[in-house]
Amino acid sequence: MTHARSNLARARAPKPEEVLWEDVCFDAEQAAEKAIKALLLHKGIEFPKTHSIAELLALLGRGGVAIPDDIKKADDLTDYATAARYPGFPRGISETDFKEALKLAEGVVAWVERQVSAPPA
């Protein structure tokens, strides 16, 4: 969770003018991805090296973790770790896109923090 919180802090920091929106969206994606991986570790669920948030959430689901619908939407962040980092991404990323990415990441991090601090069922 330390790494997830670090990426979330970087995403929340004021964006210098020369920093691209896709770069701060990448930090938002990384916060969500690392938080989910922390929960997988906490639950003792092995996972592959992947940036696919949908794949990671599916592993949690198969491990018995109920995934709320708003957390499932975090899969929208996956492109910020993959396609958006390379030339040819089909559209520019805007401040509005970033605000949505940050909201999704904050939701995932908060949800995972509740999961790891909850007493065992």
Side-chain angles (χ1 to χ4, degrees):
M1 284 306 296
T2 300
H3 292 278
R5 288 185 200 103
S6 174
N7 281 111
L8 191 58
R10 286 181 9 169
R12 287 175 171 157
K15 182 184 90 51
E17 186 176 327
E18 59 276 355
V19 171
L20 301 171
W21 287 114
E22 43 265 69
D23 290 339
V24 288
C25 285
F26 174 75
D27 276 318
E29 184 284 334
Q30 286 290 283
E33 179 185 325
K34 290 173 184 178
I36 293 165
K37 287 177 177 176
L39 183 54
L40 286 160
L41 287 169
H42 179 75
K43 297 288 187 180
I45 301 169
E46 291 187 26
F47 56 91
K49 292 181 179 179
T50 183
H51 293 296
S52 172
I53 290 176
E55 184 177 348
L56 296 171
L57 290 173
L59 288 170
L60 280 173
R62 287 194 294 274
V65 177
I67 312 296
D69 288 340
D70 61 322
I71 299 304
K72 290 177 185 175
K73 290 179 185 174
D75 182 47
D76 292 348
L77 298 171
T78 297
D79 276 349
Y80 296 128
T82 57
R85 296 175 52 215
Y86 299 97
F89 191 67
R91 63 178 176 83
I93 296 171
S94 68
E95 183 176 4
T96 301
D97 296 322
F98 164 70
K99 287 178 180 178
E100 180 60 25
L102 182 60
K103 179 180 171 187
L104 287 169
E106 288 173 333
V108 169
V109 170
W111 175 73
V112 169
E113 286 176 333
R114 289 190 303 274
Q115 296 298 307
V116 298
S117 66

